[in-house]
Amino acid sequence: PTAPPSLPAGTPAAATRPCSGAGGQAEPEGPSRATAILRHLLLKLRATGPVTVAEYMREALTNPGQGYYTRRGGIGESGDFVTSPEISQVFGELIGIWYISEWIAMGKPKAFQLVELGPGRGTLADDILRVFNQLASLLSKCDVSIHLVEVSPKLSEIQALMLTGGKVQSNPEDKSAYMKGVSKTGIPIFWYRDIQDVPPGYSFYLAHEFFDALPIHKFQKGWREVLVDIDPEVPDQLRFVLSPSSTPATENFIQVRLCVLMLACRIEKDGGAALVADYGHDGTKTDTFRGFRNHKLHDVLRAPGTADLTADVDFSYLRKMTQGRTATLGPIKQQEFLKNMGIDLRLQVLLQNSRDTATREQLLHSYDMLMNPKKMGDCFNFFALLPHHRLVHPDKKHKPESKSHLPPVAGFGELLLK
C-alpha cells in the first residue's frame, strides 16, 4: 500500500480551534427550562402510558420547541461535549484525504456528492473543504457538491456561518433542500432534514458521531423492551419499567436499521462509500445509554432537554443491517485508523511550520487527545461501507489465480511509505 495523497507542506495549522459555545449565548439552565419538556412528557405519559426509550430520546433531543439539539446543540468547550473535529484540524484533513483516496481508487468519477449526516458545527466539513481546495488541481475535472443532513435550525445557522460566511438562501426552489449556499471555496452546499431528501447519485457519506445520537430501543434479556414511565413514588420524576409483552421495536431497531439500509442501498445502486466514526464496540457490550451535561455524566432521566443523550454504536449490528448489499471494513480503533492515514507525518509538518511554542503545545495536546488509548484513541472506532467490487475484483471470482490490482482502502491497513 502506498500513502494516500498528502497535503502541501506549507498548509497552515489552525491548531487552536475556536471552541466557543454552540451558537453564542447558552440557554438558561434553570428549573423552568428543565421542566418544559418534562411537563410535556408527564402529560403524554399520563394520557398514553409508558413510552419507548427511543421516543423519550426523540423528545429530549429533537423536540421542535425545547429539544437539546434543536435549541442548543452543546458542542465545543463550553458545550456539553467536545468532538474530534473540534479538537484538531488534522482529524478533518485526514478524513478529507480518505475521500480523495477512495475517489482515485474508484477511477476518478466525474462528479461526487459529499453527504454528511449530523454535521455538528460544520467544523469537519470545513476541514474537508480546505483539503479539497488544496488538492483543487486533482479535482479540477470533478463536479463536487456538499449535502448536509441537519435537523437543528440552530446548528444549521452555525454551519452556514462557518462554511459560507452566512451567505445562504432559505427554502430554495429545490423543495427537498431547506437551505442552500456556496462555500468560501466555491463549492455548492445544500441542507436537508432527512437523508431521504438527498438526491441520488455517486456519493461519499460521512457519519461522525451520528449513530450514537440516534434514538435507541433498550431491551432486557428475553427481549422485553425497557420503557420510560412516571415514577409513582416520586411526583414529577421518571423511571424505567419493563414492557409486559413484546413491542413493535422488539422486531427491529427501527431508526438505525433504516438509516444503514438506506446507505447500503444507495451505495449499491449509485456507487460511492460511507465512513462511520463513532463511540462503539463490535457486539461486545450491552447497555451503554448515558447522558452528558457540562462535560460530566448526567442521569438520563433527569431534566430532559438539558443534556446530550447517547449510546455506543454496535458495529456488528450495522454490519448485519447492510443485508450484504455492501462490503464493510472495520471497526478499527481511531488511533490505528489515523496512524494508517499518516497522522504522524502530518503532525511533524505542522510542528515544523509552527512559529510559536503555544501552537506547538496545542498540536501535541490535540494529538494526545485523538491518539491516546485512555482518551479517544481506543473508544472511538472507524467503519466503512463500500461496493463489493471495491474489495473483490469481478474477474477474481471466476479466476482466483488472476492478480487483482485493486488499491488498498486507506486507513484500514498499515501505511507503507515508498
Side-chain angles (χ1 to χ4, degrees):
T2 52
S6 60
L7 295 179
T11 306
T16 42
R17 178 159 326 281
C19 274
S20 58
Q25 294 299 305
E27 297 289 337
E29 294 288 12
S32 60
R33 172 76 218 291
T35 53
I37 280 201
L38 186 57
R39 277 199 308 268
H40 165 70
L41 278 164
L42 292 167
L43 285 170
K44 186 172 181 164
L45 293 168
R46 286 188 187 110
T48 64
V51 296
T52 63
V53 174
E55 181 60 23
Y56 172 74
M57 275 181 86
R58 251 193 301 277
E59 289 287 359
L61 296 176
T62 58
N63 174 294
Q66 294 287 333
Y68 175 81
Y69 290 146
T70 35
R71 283 284 295 260
R72 302 171 64 248
I75 305 169
E77 277 176 8
S78 62
D80 294 311
F81 57 96
V82 178
T83 68
S84 302
E86 299 293 323
I87 291 167
S88 170
Q89 72 172 72
V90 181
F91 182 84
E93 289 175 350
L94 295 175
I95 287 180
I97 285 171
W98 190 86
Y99 288 113
I100 301 253
S101 171
E102 276 309 289
W103 173 73
I104 293 169
M106 293 184 188
K108 300 184 182 173
K110 288 190 168 54
F112 72 78
Q113 305 185 138
L114 178 69
V115 183
E116 188 177 0
L117 312 178
R121 299 167 60 82
T123 313
L124 191 47
D126 194 46
D127 289 338
I128 292 171
L129 279 167
R130 192 171 59 252
V131 170
F132 288 179
N133 191 46
Q134 282 154 2
L135 300 175
S137 56
L138 197 60
L139 289 166
S140 60
K141 293 190 172 68
C142 183
D143 186 8
V144 180
S145 55
I146 306 290
H147 303 259
L148 305 177
V149 179
E150 180 56 77
V151 293
S152 164
K154 187 97 170 194
L155 283 174
S156 60
E157 276 174 40
I158 297 170
Q159 293 151 14
L161 202 60
M162 175 167 275
L163 301 172
T164 72
K167 299 188 186 87
V168 286
Q169 279 173 275
S170 289
N171 299 325
E173 300 73 66
D174 172 10
K175 292 289 182 285
S176 58
Y178 63 84
M179 193 161 76
K180 68 175 178 182
V182 177
S183 80
K184 295 165 190 169
T185 53
I187 290 177
I189 306 179
F190 303 87
W191 278 262
Y192 310 85
R193 288 197 174 81
D194 195 302
I195 185 175
Q196 295 183 55
D197 298 332
V198 177
Y202 191 95
S203 300
F204 289 125
Y205 298 91
L206 174 57
H208 178 269
E209 287 198 51
F210 171 74
F211 285 105
D212 74 348
L214 281 186
I216 57 152
H217 291 268
K218 256 169 79 91
F219 297 93
Q220 282 203 351
K221 286 195 176 76
W223 291 97
R224 283 172 69 193
E225 186 164 8
V226 177
L227 305 172
V228 175
D229 199 3
I230 297 167
D231 189 335
E233 307 286 311
V234 192
D236 294 355
Q237 272 203 22
L238 305 172
R239 63 165 185 169
F240 287 123
V241 295
L242 271 184
S243 67
S245 56
S246 81
T247 54
T250 315
E251 312 307 320
N252 49 20
F253 289 126
I254 301 152
Q255 213 169 340
V256 173
R257 179 175 174 228
L258 287 176
C259 195
V260 176
L261 191 54
M262 190 172 299
L263 287 177
C265 289
R266 283 178 165 234
I267 292 167
E268 180 186 43
K269 184 168 171 281
D270 301 322
L275 190 62
V276 178
D278 227 318
Y279 288 97
H281 57 92
D282 209 9
T284 51
K285 292 183 187 173
T286 49
D287 188 6
T288 61
F289 183 37
R290 58 197 184 278
F292 286 99
R293 183 168 160 185
N294 300 325
H295 303 284
K296 291 188 178 72
L297 280 169
H298 174 88
D299 180 341
V300 291
L301 295 181
R302 280 196 60 196
T306 67
D308 184 39
L309 303 179
T310 165
D312 285 1
V313 175
D314 179 350
F315 289 104
S316 67
Y317 181 73
L318 298 195
R319 192 182 298 114
K320 201 162 90 189
M321 286 308 106
T322 64
Q323 296 182 356
R325 291 171 187 273
T326 61
T328 60
L329 284 177
I332 180 174
K333 288 182 169 54
Q334 174 165 294
Q335 53 154 330
E336 286 179 60
F337 179 86
L338 295 177
K339 207 171 196 59
N340 294 341
M341 286 302 301
I343 190 170
D344 295 335
L345 294 168
R346 184 75 188 121
L347 177 72
Q348 292 312 315
V349 170
L350 291 176
L351 286 172
Q352 281 162 18
N353 291 341
S354 53
R355 302 274 177 269
D356 60 295
T357 321
T359 305
R360 276 197 288 274
E361 278 174 8
Q362 175 66 30
L363 280 165
L364 291 166
H365 171 72
S366 303
Y367 176 88
D368 182 59
M369 276 296 285
L370 293 175
M371 299 293 282
N372 188 327
K374 293 188 175 71
K375 294 177 183 172
M376 293 173 118
D378 271 9
C379 58
F380 233 82
N381 287 273
F382 278 77
F383 182 79
L385 275 62
L386 299 146
H388 286 291
H389 63 76
R390 174 65 183 89
L391 299 182
V392 180
H393 212 284
D395 299 342
K396 194 93 166 150
K397 284 181 194 157
H398 312 297
K399 304 181 205 155
E401 71 287 348
S402 71
K403 284 227 165 65
S404 88
H405 293 293
L406 287 172
V409 178
F412 290 89
E414 210 176 320
L415 174 65
L416 301 174
L417 297 170
K418 286 191 173 173

